[in-house]
Amino acid sequence: MVRTGSASVAAGPTLAVVAREAGVSVPTASKVVNGREDVAPETRRRVTEALDRLGYVRRPRFDAAKPSGLVDLVVHSLETSWSGAVLHGVEAAAHDAGLEVVVSAGLTRNRAGRPERGWLDKLTGRGSSGVLFNLAELSPTQYGWLNQHRIPYVLIDPVLEPPAGVVSVGAANWQGGVTATEHLLALGHERIAVVAGHRRKMCSSARVAGYRSALAAAGVRQRAEYVRLAGFDESTAHRRTLELLDLPEPPTAVFVCSDSMALGVYAALAERGLKVPDDMSVVGFDDLPEARWATPGLTTVRQPLSEMAATALRLLVRMMEGDRPESTRTELSTRLVERASTGAPRD
């Protein structure tokens, strides 16, 4: 369970300390903290760097023992159908719980590559009673700040393995990888490639592990050249598919670890004059609307994004009420959705 901290935790640096570190007056530092415009750019930069360096955050205006009717949802992006499914799930569950939701698009990063502090200040300013993070990479400092200030939070499909005790909700990614690969094996494919996301990301590594397990269980040789990383990027998946097609013995089928990357695979095959599934079978992962719109329709592993988000919101409500979930990790099942992108290999 998320640590709730203690009422006796040490206070962070004062605004006076930040001002002294940045070489400015306390009123000037206060203007930067509160987003005032009447500060010179160079002065703002010095104060912001001092705030980050010293770990200063504004004191929360809310009492953790008296939850408000407001929660925050921090999503990776608002531009994808993935985010739309997550928003739908959170909104429905929040409506049932009588809560309002504030949505923030991403934890932006500064020039040094560190997450910006702005969302922390906004969170304390609004007095939100809890936070949902979707596809977020939190730093140890941010985890520590949330715990210190006793703010309940839940991760939806965390990018990296969260620290011990942090509550998260995800899909059965390993089993999804097994299911996708077993489907292709059942059709008669043995030369099966995988286009994965990031090596270090939890969902991607689990899906590839499922792919490997299914091949091993079927006694099919695993080929290192058939494993390609594309970073969940459609254009990169396009390039990786061309690389697979240029192999002396190209695959007859490919398991793609996201539907968006599968569209890049489709484009590469069309560029070479090849047809799906006649020349290559393709299985995706997610079951986003794009999977239905693709031509031919994409066979894919459905992960219940809206259900994952709703489950996370319900867990967050329990935590806001002082309850402790029985398990810190909740996984919802995946299932194969068969469409027209898979078939038996050519002789």
Side-chain angles (χ1 to χ4, degrees):
M1 182 60 194
V2 176
R3 296 188 303 274
T4 57
S6 164
S8 62
V9 291
T14 65
L15 197 57
V17 172
V18 172
R20 185 166 60 250
E21 176 78 9
V24 300
S25 66
V26 172
T28 298
S30 178
K31 288 181 181 180
V32 175
V33 168
N34 289 287
R36 293 273 296 275
E37 298 295 331
D38 52 338
V39 180
E42 175 61 22
T43 301
R44 184 182 301 278
R45 181 190 65 78
R46 295 204 317 272
V47 174
T48 299
E49 289 180 352
L51 290 168
D52 286 337
R53 190 162 54 248
L54 297 174
Y56 174 88
V57 291
R58 289 188 295 181
R59 300 290 295 177
R61 291 202 316 230
F62 59 88
D63 183 348
K66 299 177 181 179
S68 69
L70 190 68
V71 297
D72 269 56
L73 168 64
V74 181
V75 298
H76 179 67
S77 167
L78 289 172
E79 300 176 351
T80 65
S81 51
W82 168 290
S83 298
V86 169
L87 287 170
H88 174 76
V90 170
E91 189 278 332
H95 180 269
D96 292 342
L99 295 171
E100 295 183 356
V101 181
V102 175
V103 180
S104 302
L107 302 178
T108 56
R109 294 179 177 270
N110 57 26
R111 291 181 180 178
R114 295 189 298 270
E116 293 282 9
R117 51 178 293 103
W119 68 272
L120 288 174
D121 290 334
K122 291 176 182 177
L123 174 67
T124 57
R126 283 191 290 270
S128 294
S129 294
V131 192
L132 296 173
F133 294 101
N134 178 224
L135 293 175
E137 285 187 66
L138 299 181
S139 68
T141 299
Q142 291 165 338
Y143 278 121
W145 185 90
L146 290 164
N147 293 331
Q148 178 185 2
H149 289 90
R150 297 180 296 168
I151 300 175
Y153 60 98
V154 178
L155 309 184
I156 305 170
D157 200 14
V159 174
L160 305 177
E161 184 75 32
V166 172
V167 176
S168 67
V169 178
N173 289 296
W174 179 86
Q175 185 58 53
V178 169
T179 301
T181 310
E182 287 181 341
H183 172 66
L184 295 170
L185 289 165
L187 291 170
H189 293 278
E190 293 190 355
R191 304 205 314 262
I192 303 172
V194 59
V195 175
H198 296 277
R199 191 185 308 277
R200 69 188 186 97
K201 290 193 174 181
M202 283 181 62
C203 64
S204 180
S205 60
R207 292 168 196 175
V208 174
Y211 155 85
R212 295 185 189 276
S213 295
L215 291 181
V220 174
R221 179 169 65 94
Q222 300 178 41
R223 307 187 188 203
E225 69 271 22
Y226 279 4
V227 179
R228 303 282 166 156
L229 298 174
F232 292 109
D233 178 70
E234 182 178 334
S235 60
T236 306
H238 174 276
R239 294 196 298 273
R240 298 294 177 262
T241 304
L242 294 178
E243 295 169 2
L244 289 169
L245 293 174
D246 288 335
L247 292 173
E249 193 172 28
T252 62
V254 58
F255 165 42
V256 192
C257 288
S258 78
D259 290 347
S260 59
M261 290 196 298
L263 299 182
V265 173
Y266 270 39
L269 293 171
E271 185 178 307
R272 293 290 178 89
L274 302 175
K275 293 183 178 180
V276 177
D278 296 348
D279 298 298
M280 184 177 289
S281 288
V282 182
V283 178
F285 201 109
D286 288 331
D287 196 29
L288 298 176
E290 293 91 318
R292 300 191 298 274
W293 302 336
T295 303
L298 178 66
T299 295
T300 189
V301 176
R302 181 183 186 273
Q303 62 171 333
L305 297 175
S306 293
E307 293 90 333
M308 287 159 52
T311 298
L313 190 282
R314 289 191 287 268
L315 285 171
L316 182 64
V317 170
R318 288 176 54 189
M319 294 164 64
M320 289 161 53
E321 294 172 346
D323 196 5
R324 298 171 65 91
E326 294 78 14
S327 174
T328 58
R329 173 68 177 178
T330 300
E331 283 196 353
L332 303 188
S333 61
T334 55
R335 64 179 178 87
L336 186 73
V337 179
E338 293 188 48
R339 296 193 177 95
S341 68
T342 53
R346 285 184 170 179
D347 293 338

